[in-house]
Amino acid sequence: MNTISDRLAVIEQKLDQLLSKKKIHLNDGKPLKEWIVELFKNSNEPLTAKEVADLLLDAGYKTLSKKFAHVVLNTLASYPEFRKATKKRKPFRFTLA
């Protein structure tokens, strides 16, 4: 018979599993924005969001996102540290501001 304590134990176990999966995103505690800044400091040319995403993954950034390039694009568009190097032509290329 399922008692409340049995149900709570199952819920706690599932919660622990979910929380342990989130640790994959820690990336040594560095936010995505800092990874991108570091990448641009070592780049001599403007990059598209897709290029940035691919380079971050190659550098060891871990994510479970299926559309990581979209996440990168939103990050590039959201912070004043980055600016569009091209205004009229898509895909947009970005650099450090």
Side-chain angles (χ1 to χ4, degrees), residues 2-32:
N2 285 337
T3 64
I4 292 176
S5 59
D6 291 339
R7 290 180 186 169
L8 283 174
V10 170
I11 291 170
E12 286 177 356
Q13 183 181 16
K14 288 181 180 181
L15 183 59
D16 287 342
Q17 290 172 348
L18 287 172
L19 291 175
S20 68
K21 287 181 182 177
K22 290 292 183 189
K23 291 179 184 176
I24 292 172
H25 294 286
L26 290 179
N27 290 302
D28 298 328
K30 234 165 69 170
L32 176 59

Side-chain angles (χ1 to χ4, degrees), residues 3-92:
T3 64
I4 292 176
S5 59
D6 291 339
R7 290 180 186 169
L8 283 174
V10 170
I11 291 170
E12 286 177 356
Q13 183 181 16
K14 288 181 180 181
L15 183 59
D16 287 342
Q17 290 172 348
L18 287 172
L19 291 175
S20 68
K21 287 181 182 177
K22 290 292 183 189
K23 291 179 184 176
I24 292 172
H25 294 286
L26 290 179
N27 290 302
D28 298 328
K30 234 165 69 170
L32 176 59
K33 179 178 83 168
E34 289 182 25
W35 280 77
I36 297 173
V37 167
E38 187 79 23
L39 179 73
F40 275 122
K41 284 181 180 178
N42 295 316
S43 176
N44 295 329
E45 59 187 46
L47 300 168
T48 66
K50 173 77 170 115
E51 291 168 334
V52 171
D54 290 343
L55 289 169
L56 289 172
L57 294 172
D58 290 345
Y61 189 87
K62 293 175 179 62
T63 181
L64 296 177
S65 174
K66 293 180 181 177
K67 296 183 177 182
F68 185 52
H70 290 177
V71 174
V72 170
L73 178 61
N74 287 333
T75 302
L76 291 168
S78 299
Y79 290 98
E81 289 88 349
F82 313 111
R83 68 174 178 83
K84 289 180 186 173
T86 56
K87 296 190 187 248
K88 295 182 181 179
R89 192 170 39 121
K90 288 187 181 180
F92 295 117

